[in-house]
Amino acid sequence: MVTRKRFKAAGALVASALLLAVSACSQGSTTKQPESGGQSSGPANIKIAYQQWGPGTTMKTFLAGVKTEYEAANPGSTVEILPIVASENDYYTKLQLMMRSPNTAPDVVYEDTFLINSDITAGYLRPLDEYISKWDQWSQFEDTAKGAAKALDGKTYGVPDGTDTRALWYNKQIFAKAGLPADWQPKTWDDVLSAARTIKAKVPGVTPLNVYSGKPMGEASAMQGFEMLLYGTKDTLYNNDQQKWVVGSKGFKDSLNFIKTVFTEGIGPSPKQALDPNMGSKVGTELLPEGKLGIALDGSWIYGNWQKTGAKPWPQWTEVMGQTAMPTQDGGGKGKVSLSGGWTWAIPAKSKNPDAAWNLIKTLQTQKNAAKYATDGAQIAVRKDVAADEGYKSSSKSTQFFTDLVSVTVYRPAYAEYPKVSNEIITAMEAVMTGQSSVDEAAKNYDEAVEGIVGKDKTTSGQ
């Protein structure tokens, strides 16, 4: 996990995957810090926890630089960097367990926006409005980015650091061997499946298509896999007009059928490979750079693996890899679809040192630091001054392509119930991909589960 440039007014952000935690070592004491500067009025020991997933070191390197900067500006203070080694969903679980108790709660977490409302409901997060109102940098953030960090109660719970979009990555060398065009622009789902079938027939030893599916890949399966399909149909997960969750939809079944086709026809990885919790890391660091995967439905950030500071430096990627939008099911609507996610720096409700935590967030989100992480971390920037930075704009060949997808992007329904609904999506996918359930059975089980989660009165029928 892990993938961001100019923001167009599209909606909020919610995807790659990292978290920060800050906790004061002093027993219950709070170190007050001024709102306008970087200096604290007393030393503080700050612990930063983040998700270490795969061999990438971009966040680790970034935090090491922030640590040096913060400690220099705050004599006597120390920043301790603590990696949480876990898959995406396990990371969320471990972080939530930490936030439950004042004894273990971090002071700052890098919170996935889709979890904000559920974590507020659980009492895990602190509103930041009192700090933000005195921060002169808040005006640099795009309104859509601010909206992603705002909860249903109207309060802001995080400072966003970037967003991402999703599309189809494809290997031009494999396409050439298969007789497929270098400038590939599929118009329908059938076009995508047809290309995968052609690769299977003409380029042996290569996995034609990867669509994340199943429980081990967690939210990547739900968002990068299933929802990239569903939002290309005439149905959605949530009906905003009725404010109800959608069940019994044709689009849901059609999306499951796409997954079934990929696995039953053998044009994707084997179920065993797909259910490897390290599959996301392997796609970016092994399968694509080693020419073992033809097409990947994945995020804008994936090229971060291939940069000099990435997990798998691969300078040739700019010539080998192409990007094209994921088409809608039949080419209707806007013709293409993308989903966006995002992360924020947030402060847990049980933080012992919220003022120090806020001071660290300001250090993390200076223009200089935000530009560095957006560039090194392959993100779409959410600060206006970063988006205008020439070094950032020219940092990658694919930056403009993925930024342009913001105009058609969709955002997950980031309500408190979403994480549970997402888990049911993943369960349905896995049941179909492994042949444990038919599409109809899996869809029926999903509908019943959603009704149990949100209440039958909060559901509506799809098209």
Side-chain angles (χ1 to χ4, degrees):
M1 42 348 33
V2 230
T3 44
R4 315 172 175 132
K5 189 173 178 184
R6 239 177 19 247
F7 240 80
K8 298 178 183 177
L13 353 101
V14 186
S16 299
L18 319 152
L19 271 107
L20 257 77
V22 180
S23 135
C25 283
S26 53
Q27 297 292 331
S29 64
T30 300
T31 303
K32 279 289 181 182
Q33 303 194 22
E35 299 303 330
S36 59
Q39 297 292 330
S40 67
S41 59
N45 181 19
I46 303 172
K47 295 181 180 178
I48 300 180
Y50 70 99
Q51 182 195 18
Q52 178 60 48
W53 182 72
T57 60
T58 300
M59 177 58 82
K60 179 180 178 181
T61 302
F62 174 67
L63 293 181
V66 171
K67 166 184 166 71
T68 299
E69 180 180 346
Y70 187 87
E71 290 177 349
N74 296 270
S77 293
T78 59
V79 176
E80 184 179 357
I81 301 172
L82 302 174
I84 297 176
V85 181
S87 62
E88 191 166 355
N89 278 18
D90 287 344
Y91 174 62
Y92 298 146
T93 301
K94 290 182 179 182
L95 190 75
Q96 288 168 340
L97 287 172
M98 291 172 68
M99 291 192 289
R100 288 179 181 177
S101 168
N103 295 325
T104 57
D107 288 312
V108 177
V109 296
Y110 199 40
E111 176 90 353
D112 196 326
T113 51
F114 90 94
L115 287 172
I116 284 179
N117 281 296
S118 60
D119 280 353
I120 292 169
T121 301
Y124 294 150
L125 299 179
R126 168 189 294 266
L128 302 182
D129 302 75
E130 63 175 311
Y131 296 114
I132 288 172
S133 65
K134 302 172 185 178
W135 189 34
D136 62 1
Q137 295 297 297
W138 191 233
S139 61
Q140 284 290 347
F141 291 80
E142 294 284 0
D143 288 342
T144 47
K146 294 177 180 178
K150 185 175 288 189
L152 297 175
D153 63 6
K155 298 177 181 179
T156 297
Y157 286 82
V159 175
D161 84 324
T163 187
D164 49 41
T165 51
R166 287 151 178 77
L168 293 165
W169 290 86
Y170 64 97
N171 187 305
K172 294 179 182 179
Q173 294 176 344
I174 293 175
F175 267 48
K177 293 177 182 178
L180 294 167
D183 183 23
W184 183 49
Q185 296 184 31
K187 303 300 182 184
T188 66
W189 287 2
D190 283 342
D191 289 346
V192 176
L193 294 172
S194 176
R197 292 173 181 130
T198 299
I199 292 171
K200 180 183 179 181
K202 297 186 177 182
V203 192
V206 168
T207 299
L209 169 67
N210 183 65
V211 179
Y212 294 120
S213 185
K215 295 177 183 178
M217 282 303 297
E219 188 61 16
S221 294
M223 186 181 185
Q224 279 150 246
F226 190 84
E227 290 168 45
M228 282 290 290
L229 295 166
L230 179 65
Y231 282 91
T233 73
K234 296 179 180 179
D235 285 302
T236 60
L237 282 180
Y238 188 84
N239 186 310
N240 289 309
D241 293 334
Q242 298 181 32
Q243 295 189 338
K244 293 182 177 182
W245 293 87
V246 178
V247 296
S249 77
K250 181 178 183 296
F252 193 93
K253 290 184 179 180
D254 288 348
S255 299
L256 285 180
N257 264 314
F258 186 100
I259 298 297
K260 179 182 178 181
T261 299
V262 169
F263 286 95
T264 56
E265 292 191 14
I267 53 176
S270 69
K272 182 179 179 180
Q273 290 174 308
L275 294 175
D276 181 344
N278 296 312
M279 185 60 174
S281 175
K282 289 182 177 180
V283 167
T285 62
E286 297 177 22
L287 299 180
L288 286 175
E290 293 174 9
K292 297 177 181 178
L293 175 61
I295 306 165
L297 180 54
D298 222 303
S300 53
W301 63 85
I302 198 170
Y303 74 85
N305 288 294
W306 310 326
Q307 300 189 107
K308 291 180 180 179
T309 57
K312 179 77 171 183
W314 182 29
Q316 297 82 10
W317 79 268
T318 56
E319 302 302 321
V320 176
M321 296 303 301
Q323 309 91 36
T324 191
M326 178 65 185
T328 56
Q329 182 177 15
D330 57 7
K334 294 181 180 179
K336 52 189 176 182
V337 66
S338 182
L339 265 85
S340 287
W343 295 78
T344 67
W345 304 111
I347 301 177
K350 295 182 180 178
S351 160
K352 293 179 181 178
N353 203 352
D355 294 332
W358 174 251
N359 211 39
L360 182 64
I361 288 175
K362 291 194 296 182
T363 303
L364 288 160
Q365 276 298 291
T366 61
Q367 191 276 340
K368 175 178 69 72
N369 286 337
K372 177 174 177 54
Y373 188 67
T375 300
D376 294 348
Q379 298 193 56
I380 295 173
V382 293
R383 281 187 64 127
K384 299 170 188 176
D385 48 8
V386 174
D389 183 84
E390 290 301 324
Y392 166 74
K393 289 194 292 185
S394 61
S395 63
S396 169
K397 183 179 179 181
S398 65
T399 298
Q400 192 64 53
F401 167 80
F402 282 105
T403 298
D404 289 344
L405 288 176
V406 174
S407 64
V408 300
T409 205
V410 178
Y411 299 87
R412 291 167 290 184
Y415 299 106
E417 304 91 345
Y418 175 79
K420 293 181 179 179
V421 172
S422 171
N423 187 61
E424 296 304 327
I425 291 172
I426 299 164
T427 299
M429 294 178 81
E430 185 166 314
V432 168
M433 67 182 279
T434 58
Q436 296 176 23
S437 297
S438 67
V439 165
D440 287 344
E441 290 171 336
K444 180 176 181 292
N445 290 338
Y446 168 82
D447 292 344
E448 292 175 350
V450 171
E451 289 175 355
I453 293 168
V454 306
K456 193 167 185 178
D457 61 327
K458 292 185 179 179
T459 64
T460 186
S461 297
Q463 297 184 43

